[in-house]
Amino acid sequence: MNVEPAVQSKLLSLAAVDAELNRLAHRRRTLPEQQEVDRLESERTSRKDAAVAVEIVLDDLDRDIRKLEGEVDAVRQRGDRDRKLLEGGTIGAKQLTELQHELGSLDRRQSALEDELLEVMERREATKADYDHAGAQVSKIDEEIAVAERLRDEALADIEVAEQRCRTDRATLVDAFPAELVSAYDTQRERSGIGAALLQGRRCGACRLELDRGEIARISGTAPDLLVRCPECNAILVRKESGQ
C-alpha cells in the first residue's frame, strides 16, 4: 500500500490516542477504587455472617429462657397447690408426709431451675452485647462502602470523560486517513493492540524488538510512500523521514 509520508506520520497521533484508550480501559478494569469496594463488600459479608451467627445463638438462648421460665412457673404452681393442701388441714398423715417431701423436692427443683435460668440470662446479656457490636460493625462498614462507592463512581466518571475526549479526537483523526489505511491499521490494532509505531533506529516502537541489519537495509531501500510493517509484530512502521 502506498501512502504519503506525511499521512503515515499522522498515524502516530492516532496510535497515541488508541494507546491512551487502552490505558483508560486497563485502568477501568483494574480501578483501585473498585478493588476497595470489592474488599469492603467481602468484609461486610464476613461481618454480616458473624452477626447472623450471633443472632442464631441469641435466638437459641431466648428459646432456652422461655423453656426454663415455663418449667419454673410449672414447679411454682405445683408448689403453690401443695401448700394450699397443707394449709387446708384436710389431708391424712401419710399424704401430709408425702406432700412435705414433694414440696422439698419442688423447692430444690425450683432453685436449680432459677439458677440455670439466671445463668442463661447472663449468657444472653453477653450475647446481646456481642450482637449489638456485630450490628454496629455492619453499619460502620456500610458507611465505608458508601464512601468507597462514591470515590469509585467519581473515578469512573473521570475515565468516561477522558474516553469520550479520546473517542472524539480519534474520530477527527480517522477522517483524515484513506479508508484502506484505516482498515489495515484497525485490523492490526485488534490483533496486537498497536496498529502503528515509530521505527526508532533499528527498534520497532510497537514490539520493542530490534530488526536485523538486512531488514533495516530492505526498509531503507523502499520508497518513502510505501507502507512497511514490522517483520516481528506486523505493526505499521512509521519512518522518521516520513514526517519530513
Side-chain angles (χ1 to χ4, degrees):
M1 186 187 305
N2 295 91
V3 180
E4 293 181 9
V7 176
Q8 290 187 42
S9 183
K10 290 179 181 178
L11 278 176
L12 297 177
S13 296
L14 180 59
V17 171
D18 286 335
E20 180 62 15
L21 283 170
N22 287 341
R23 284 191 290 271
L24 290 168
H26 176 74
R27 186 185 172 201
R28 182 187 289 275
R29 291 192 301 270
T30 61
L31 197 64
E33 290 84 352
Q34 180 60 58
Q35 293 174 8
E36 178 64 5
V37 169
D38 294 341
R39 184 190 70 79
L40 289 172
E41 287 181 341
S42 177
E43 179 66 19
R44 184 189 187 281
T45 298
S46 297
R47 293 187 184 183
K48 184 65 176 177
D49 289 345
V52 170
V54 176
E55 184 178 18
I56 291 172
V57 173
L58 196 62
D59 289 342
D60 290 343
L61 290 172
D62 283 338
R63 184 175 61 252
D64 291 343
I65 287 172
R66 289 192 298 270
K67 179 176 179 293
L68 287 168
E69 287 177 338
E71 291 179 1
V72 168
D73 188 58
V75 170
R76 183 183 295 114
Q77 289 181 18
R78 179 68 178 269
D80 290 343
R81 188 199 65 180
D82 287 354
R83 275 185 285 272
K84 285 181 181 180
L85 288 174
L86 286 174
E87 293 169 358
T90 59
I91 57 176
K94 181 179 179 182
Q95 189 176 5
L96 177 62
T97 300
E98 292 175 349
L99 280 175
Q100 289 173 335
H101 177 74
E102 183 176 281
L103 276 171
S105 298
L106 289 172
D107 286 342
R108 289 191 297 273
R109 175 60 175 163
Q110 181 175 334
S111 178
L113 287 171
E114 287 174 344
D115 288 344
E116 185 177 355
L117 177 59
L118 180 60
E119 179 186 348
V120 174
M121 292 178 72
E122 289 174 347
R123 287 168 51 198
R124 188 201 185 279
E125 183 177 356
T127 303
K128 180 61 165 59
D130 291 342
Y131 178 72
D132 290 342
H133 177 72
Q137 290 295 96
V138 172
S139 297
K140 179 182 177 182
I141 205 164
D142 281 341
E143 295 173 0
E144 293 176 2
I145 288 174
V147 172
E149 287 178 336
R150 175 176 58 79
L151 294 175
R152 178 209 52 198
D153 292 344
E154 290 174 356
L156 287 173
D158 290 343
I159 292 174
E160 180 59 35
V161 169
E163 286 177 334
Q164 184 57 50
R165 182 178 63 250
C166 286
R167 285 191 289 266
T168 299
D169 292 345
R170 189 179 199 280
T172 301
L173 287 168
V174 166
D175 286 342
F177 295 117
E180 185 180 6
L181 178 59
V182 172
S183 177
Y185 170 88
D186 283 343
T187 297
Q188 175 58 26
R189 176 173 175 258
E190 290 171 4
R191 180 181 296 122
S192 68
I194 300 177
L198 180 66
L199 177 60
Q200 302 169 301
R202 291 171 51 195
R203 188 180 300 277
C204 169
C207 64
R208 311 304 300 170
L209 294 177
E210 285 195 356
L211 281 60
D212 62 45
R213 297 184 184 279
E215 185 63 26
I216 289 296
R218 185 191 68 78
I219 292 175
S220 298
T222 61
D225 65 346
L226 181 66
L227 207 67
V228 297
R229 292 178 178 269
C230 172
E232 299 294 336
C233 68
N234 205 45
I236 298 170
L237 289 177
V238 177
R239 291 166 278 177
K240 287 185 177 180
E241 57 266 29
S242 295
Q244 298 175 351

